[in-house]
Amino acid sequence: MTTDRILEGLARREPAALARAITLVENQRDGFERVLSHTHGLLGRGGTRRVGITGPPGAGKSTLTEALIQRFRAQRLSVGVVAVDPTSPFTGGALLGDRIRMESVSLDPGVFIRSMATRGAQGGLATTTEEVADLLEAFGFERVLVETVGVGQTELDIARTAETTVLVLVPESGDGIQALKAGVMEIADIYVVNKGDRPGADKFRQEVEVMLGLRRGNAFRHMAPHHRAVEGGAGRSKTVDLADGVWEPPVLATVATTGVGVDELAAALDRHYAYLQASGTLAVRRRQRLAARTRAVLERKLRRWLLEATRVEELLALRLDEVADGRRSPYDVAKEILDQVTTGGGATR
């Protein structure tokens, strides 16, 4: 299908055209930037909300995503999902099994699920994940959910992609010291302890709350005077989300397989979006996202130019034996390559 026909199909809101547009963008085929440029003018007009769902492997992210989809569909909201799976560094393949986990909603015409492979990208997302989310928003989906691969402590791209980031943990995620570590524990707007019916879930949720309080210099913000618990229990009070105009991430308990706690999570998503609008943070985050996108597009174009329009690979091959023998260092060769690329010179022996 030509780029023109894809654009015509997108204008008619044809799901097949959306699927082909995503494939075009994901594979960066001819015309993909034209499609993205066309959709850019449609962003930010329909009130689409982007929610990132991240967490370690086995936390139940896909099951929780499915439960949220069901909740949104009950409200007659259309939902687009980007589910990212890891690519094997050995075989180059990816299972892309999230659609199987979301079987109950995969045939709903108001739901569009696209699985993507990371293709070696670091950070928990594929390099084109945000651009695919743009296509879903431009197509008119009212909620766009981005589920990352099972992440560790430094895969933080989701915080730059979504307006609200949900970190899904399980009682086995670690102890209080683990919760203090920098990285993924710092990026979330909402924390969810899934599989909350397991032993130790309440204790772990309380530990996360205390550790988050320590980070902010307010370790006992969930406790009333004389150690009387806030009404509703730790992590369940709606009165602690905002303090002096600053969002205080709640720590919620869910059991995604049964739907327990999903309504509370959906309500927290609404409260966070209202906070983003009222505080002006929503506009700031979108501007930051667009600035980061522009830099990323420039870097992608520069990489492609280096590989396709210059003799970088040839120059590297000519010097590789010298580097391997220790006669030259990688830094010397990199400088020579850069000098020859910038001056337009050719490879010399």
Side-chain angles (χ1 to χ4, degrees):
M1 180 177 284
T2 65
T3 303
D4 287 333
R5 291 187 61 187
I6 288 177
L7 290 174
E8 292 169 2
L10 290 175
R12 293 192 294 267
R13 291 179 52 82
E14 296 175 359
L18 175 60
R20 291 187 175 97
I22 291 175
T23 299
L24 189 76
V25 169
E26 190 176 6
N27 295 317
Q28 298 182 23
R29 294 175 182 165
D30 290 343
F32 84 98
E33 289 188 337
R34 181 185 168 198
V35 171
L36 291 171
S37 294
H38 173 78
T39 59
H40 178 73
L42 303 175
L43 302 179
R45 297 183 180 181
T48 299
R49 303 183 190 179
R50 298 192 190 194
V51 177
I53 300 175
T54 188
K61 297 184 296 296
S62 295
T63 306
L64 189 61
T65 299
E66 181 185 28
L68 274 176
I69 294 171
Q70 293 170 342
R71 177 68 163 68
F72 292 145
R73 291 300 293 146
Q75 297 176 308
R76 300 187 179 276
L77 297 170
S78 57
V79 185
V81 181
V82 185
V84 184
D85 272 354
T87 297
S88 168
F90 304 104
T91 66
L95 180 60
L96 303 181
D98 291 307
R99 183 183 292 271
I100 299 173
R101 290 196 179 102
M102 303 177 197
E103 184 179 5
S104 69
V105 294
S106 62
L107 298 180
D108 186 334
V111 178
F112 185 95
I113 302 173
R114 180 64 176 235
S115 293
M116 299 179 62
T118 58
R119 302 191 182 191
Q122 304 299 313
L125 299 177
T127 55
T128 55
T129 300
E130 190 173 347
E131 292 169 328
V132 171
D134 282 352
L135 290 174
L136 294 174
E137 178 176 345
F139 196 77
F141 287 104
E142 295 160 292
R143 298 291 183 272
V144 174
L145 307 181
V146 180
E147 180 194 335
T148 73
V149 300
V151 301
Q153 292 176 339
T154 58
E155 294 86 349
L156 311 180
D157 284 355
I158 189 62
R160 294 187 290 267
T161 300
E163 291 144 1
T164 301
T165 300
V166 178
L167 176 60
V168 185
L169 303 168
V170 284
E172 297 82 5
S173 293
D175 57 13
I177 299 300
Q178 186 73 23
L180 267 176
K181 290 185 177 181
V184 73
M185 284 298 294
E186 294 182 304
I187 68 170
D189 302 298
I190 299 171
Y191 294 82
V192 172
V193 177
N194 193 32
K195 305 181 182 181
D197 53 347
R198 289 187 176 182
D202 287 339
K203 180 176 182 293
F204 178 68
R205 190 183 73 246
Q206 292 167 6
E207 287 179 346
V208 172
E209 285 185 333
V210 171
M211 293 307 115
L212 292 174
L214 287 175
R215 281 189 180 279
R216 296 167 177 82
N218 187 16
F220 302 103
R221 63 186 175 87
H222 290 289
M223 298 301 294
H226 305 294
H227 305 287
R228 180 169 52 84
V230 174
E231 183 179 355
R236 297 185 183 181
S237 172
K238 296 183 180 180
T239 64
V240 299
D241 291 341
L242 287 172
D244 299 325
V246 177
W247 176 258
E248 295 285 355
V251 184
L252 308 176
T254 64
V255 183
T257 53
T258 63
V260 172
V262 176
D263 286 345
E264 288 80 0
L265 173 57
L269 291 172
D270 289 339
R271 295 198 303 276
H272 184 250
Y273 191 80
Y275 158 75
L276 292 176
Q277 288 182 309
S279 65
T281 308
L282 183 63
V284 171
R285 287 192 179 186
R286 284 180 171 172
R287 285 182 64 85
Q288 292 173 340
R289 188 169 70 209
L290 290 173
R293 171 76 60 79
T294 304
R295 295 188 193 98
V297 171
L298 178 60
E299 291 172 1
R300 184 167 63 194
K301 286 181 176 292
L302 287 173
R303 285 196 304 269
R304 180 169 293 181
W305 174 76
L306 281 171
L307 292 174
E308 297 178 358
T310 70
R311 304 174 63 189
V312 168
E313 290 296 333
E314 182 181 348
L315 291 168
L316 177 59
L318 286 172
R319 300 293 185 242
L320 190 56
D321 287 341
E322 297 176 21
V323 174
D325 293 342
R327 288 174 287 162
R328 305 186 73 173
S329 74
Y331 311 100
D332 297 332
V333 175
K335 184 178 184 303
E336 179 188 0
I337 290 174
L338 184 59
D339 289 342
Q340 297 207 27
V341 166
T342 55
T343 59
T348 58
R349 289 190 176 275

